[in-house]
Amino acid sequence: MTGGRSPEPTPAGNDASVTSLCVFAVCAVAPGDQPIAGTEALGHAESGPLTLLPLDAEMAALVQEVPAERFTEEALREHLADPAALEAYARAHHAVVTAASAAGPVVPLPLATLFADHDRAREVLSENLPRFREALDRVRGRAEWAVKVHLRRDDPPPDQAASDRGASAAGTPSAAGAGRAYLSRVRGREKDRISRRDAATAAAQRVHEAANTVAAGSVRLRPHGQEITGKDRLQVMNAAYLVDEARSAELSTVLAALRTDLAGSAIEIDVSGPWVPYSFTAGEES
Amino acid sequence: MTQLDYAGSVPASYPSGPTTANLADILERVLDKGIVIAGDIKIDLLDIELLTIRLRLFVSSVETAKRAGIDWWETDPALSSRAAESALAEENRQLRDRLAALEGGEPSGSDDGGRRSPKARSGTGGRRRRDGDGEGS
């Protein structure tokens, strides 16, 4: 730990306003590094510049002075409950974390991690140096890839719809016959439902196993709802994989092969990345 | 989000992050992930109002999934408000039963729209509760 004096610059002309300190991430730094070069335009609105708060010889926190009155518990609770404001905060946070990662490994902190000032931030963050170091080591040279599996909601096959109609219209007027037809339709639907479920589960499992052969770690996230996937798709798997930079081409190869295999089925595989390894910093991942 | 095209080459630099990242992808990362450090300003990101937004983003998959027959995650109470409701209903039922048992096996008179236990329970004979009974039964 470098117990030196606070290096924080005071934003010029801002001395009258009260600020809090927002911490975005902890970065690995080497002497002379400028991990946030070119990020002047980033960060939360109406706030100071992004700066580095040294924690020890190898790590620094990426911080920004923000207007205290906009970052009280009350104000934040209100803002974060508003979808538009929540999005602005989230995207600002994400942009900073992502920009910082261009220079080296980064361990993000959750949105709105706030301290009264630089001294408080350094005091608390310094208590967690081993965790940060461990996480930085884990994600160094690696990226997170998001892999999602969707089941396309196709219309029922026309032949089945026709046979349903046939059973009731052309079919049997007797009550017993109608009952049998009904039961058979119910059984048919149940069978379809089960086979669809089994197929989707099996496909998701195949995707996971394939991705996992390349990955250094994996995390299952909660599947997204219809507002995100659209009405015609059901998300059956939402996962993240921690992949060595040198192996990301392999990931794309195994998933491309699976896509070819599953072509013609109702299964779709989506990939996005590289992400900063958000999902692999806490140390609970498999 | 549409399928991301794999360029033949892999970015040489450290991840820069998808530029047109899906908001849900970002939210589930900046809210749920990262190393949690207790700051001076305590914001519970699982706060109720915030949670409602997040539930709108995520939980609808439970209903649609059930319709499609895919329901392996519905047992997660955090995901399924219905599961939470049924758990609550079950807890309430058990509490009512215990209460009934404590009160001598007899429903307390005025409420209890449902099942009344048989009046003639062993031993109580003709003894009636002092209050809340009377003309109602």
Side-chain angles (χ1 to χ4, degrees), chain A residues 77 80-81 98 101 108 110-111 114 116 120 139 142 144 148 197 222 224-226 236 248 252 270-271 274 278 281, chain B residues 3-4 6 10 14-17 24-25 28-30 33-35 40 47 50 53-54 57-58 60 64 69 72:
Chain A
R77 196 168 292 122
L80 298 183
T98 300
S101 74
L111 180 69
L114 293 151
R120 274 291 297 157
V139 303
R142 293 169 167 165
E144 174 172 335
K148 301 187 177 76
R197 179 190 61 194
R222 288 174 299 179
H224 293 170
Q226 263 192 3
V236 296
S248 38
S252 89
D270 290 4
V271 183
Y278 282 96
T281 53
Chain B
Q3 294 192 354
L4 193 88
Y6 278 112
V10 173
Y14 206 76
S16 57
D25 286 341
E28 70 194 354
R29 286 173 171 79
V30 305
K33 304 298 181 184
I35 291 191
D40 291 336
D47 196 83
L50 185 54
I53 294 175
R54 305 176 66 205
L57 292 178
F58 295 110
S60 58
T64 54
W72 69 73

Side-chain angles (χ1 to χ4, degrees), chain A residues 14 21 23 66 70 87 93 99 146 179 185 190 211 230 241 278 283:
Chain A
N14 202 20
L21 196 73
V23 183
V66 295
R70 283 184 49 224
E87 174 165 6
H93 183 87
R185 276 203 305 281
E190 178 67 8
Y241 297 90
Y278 282 96

Side-chain angles (χ1 to χ4, degrees), chain A residues 97-237:
Chain A
V97 168
T98 300
S101 74
V106 164
V107 173
L109 271 55
L111 180 69
T113 303
L114 293 151
F115 294 93
D117 54 33
H118 288 74
D119 288 339
R120 274 291 297 157
R122 185 167 30 228
E123 178 188 343
V124 175
L125 294 173
S126 293
E127 291 164 5
N128 292 275
L129 292 184
R131 289 172 73 197
F132 292 131
R133 191 172 295 115
E134 188 196 346
L136 285 168
D137 286 345
R138 184 168 38 238
V139 303
R140 182 172 282 118
R142 293 169 167 165
E144 174 172 335
W145 292 83
V147 179
K148 301 187 177 76
V149 177
H150 291 97
L151 179 64
R152 212 172 34 247
R153 192 186 310 278
D154 293 324
D155 292 331
D159 53 338
Q160 190 198 327
S163 76
D164 277 7
R165 270 196 306 280
S168 55
T172 48
S174 79
R180 267 199 301 278
Y182 171 76
L183 284 177
S184 125
R185 276 203 305 281
V186 169
R187 272 197 292 270
R189 275 200 295 270
E190 178 67 8
K191 236 174 91 180
D192 286 351
R193 200 182 69 90
I194 290 171
S195 73
R196 238 172 117 71
R197 179 190 61 194
D198 289 351
T201 308
Q205 190 59 29
R206 280 182 72 189
V207 172
H208 170 68
E209 282 167 8
N212 225 17
T213 59
V214 180
S218 72
V219 170
R220 284 291 185 105
L221 308 171
R222 288 174 299 179
H224 293 170
Q226 263 192 3
E227 286 194 24
I228 294 160
T229 63
K231 286 211 186 310
D232 57 336
R233 302 205 304 172
L234 175 73
Q235 191 166 101
V236 296
M237 187 182 91

Side-chain angles (χ1 to χ4, degrees), chain B residues 30-69:
Chain B
V30 305
L31 297 179
D32 284 350
K33 304 298 181 184
I35 291 191
V36 178
I37 300 293
D40 291 336
I41 295 155
K42 301 284 188 297
I43 296 301
D44 183 2
L45 292 177
L46 299 176
D47 196 83
I48 302 292
E49 284 167 288
L50 185 54
L51 197 62
T52 58
I53 294 175
R54 305 176 66 205
L55 285 179
R56 233 185 36 231
L57 292 178
F58 295 110
V59 86
S60 58
S61 56
V62 173
E63 282 308 305
T64 54
K66 278 174 75 177
R67 241 175 280 139

